[in-house]
Amino acid sequence: PNGIETCGILAGTILEENVLTVTALIVPEQSGTSESCSATNEEDTFNYMMSNGLITLGWIHTHPRQRCFMSSIDLHTHCGYQTMLPEAIAVVYAPNDADQHVGVYRLETPGGLKLIQECKMSGFHPHPDEIKIYSEADVFLGFRKENRMRGHENLRRGWDGEI
């Protein structure tokens, strides 16, 4: 709302290798600005997930005033998810990007993941251009990348779980 970034946790189960089944979108208490967002009271989210037998499969956040891409802050945030679960995904929803409203990303392995794991910088900062750090994930919520719809309808139509 009002150009402030928001975020959520994609939670569910892993049915088989590399098949993530998202069954819940958890929107935690959070704080945000026009360029970043962060969850607060993370122990409440953890307790909810534990009591419902859920694991973290990735995260989703908005870029209300930017294009659809992974910023340096996004890369560092996602590094934690992908370090814990190699199949973890990062979803970016950018409603004002004329070319791409929704992106589903993963850090390149091993190069991009290792680079971000070893990066000691914080905030917005550059990373080397000669290394491909991240790319679009192949599958999102049961839809192969080539069959994905643009925009928020993809999230609604591709969603089998509860919100």
Side-chain angles (χ1 to χ4, degrees):
N2 300 321
I4 302 298
E5 283 198 14
T6 58
C7 61
I9 305 297
L10 302 172
T13 60
I14 300 178
L15 292 180
E16 55 188 82
E17 189 174 333
N18 293 324
V19 177
L20 309 179
T21 304
V22 176
T23 59
L25 169 60
I26 301 168
V27 179
E29 290 184 39
Q30 57 193 271
S31 62
T33 70
S34 61
E35 297 181 333
S36 67
C37 59
S38 60
T40 58
N41 297 325
E42 292 171 326
E43 56 280 345
D44 291 344
T45 302
F46 177 79
N47 290 335
Y48 175 83
M49 291 177 62
M50 291 300 293
S51 66
N52 288 281
L54 300 170
I55 62 171
T56 301
L57 303 175
W59 64 301
I60 183 170
H61 74 288
T62 61
H63 279 185
R65 295 185 177 164
Q66 300 177 38
R67 59 186 181 83
C68 192
F69 75 109
M70 294 281 281
S71 71
S72 56
I73 291 176
D74 299 341
L75 295 171
H76 283 265
T77 299
H78 187 65
C79 182
Y81 287 95
Q82 196 169 324
T83 297
M84 296 298 292
L85 178 71
E87 299 88 354
I89 58 174
V91 178
V92 177
Y93 175 56
N96 292 318
D97 186 327
D99 297 320
Q100 181 179 4
H101 296 304
V102 177
V104 183
Y105 304 108
R106 297 186 69 251
L107 293 169
E108 288 287 317
T109 55
L113 181 61
K114 185 176 187 325
L115 177 85
I116 300 302
Q117 286 171 329
E118 294 175 354
C119 179
K120 304 298 182 212
M121 298 178 80
S122 62
F124 291 104
H125 60 276
H127 290 108
D129 290 332
E130 63 274 6
I131 297 173
K132 186 172 184 180
I133 299 174
Y134 71 96
S135 61
E136 287 213 33
D138 290 335
V139 177
F140 175 57
L141 299 175
F143 290 106
R144 298 214 174 270
K145 181 168 63 173
E146 61 273 11
N147 295 331
R148 255 188 280 164
M149 297 170 277
R150 284 179 38 122
H152 65 281
E153 289 302 311
N154 180 47
L155 297 175
R156 288 194 194 129
R157 292 182 191 166
W159 194 260
D160 292 331
E162 59 190 45
I163 297 181

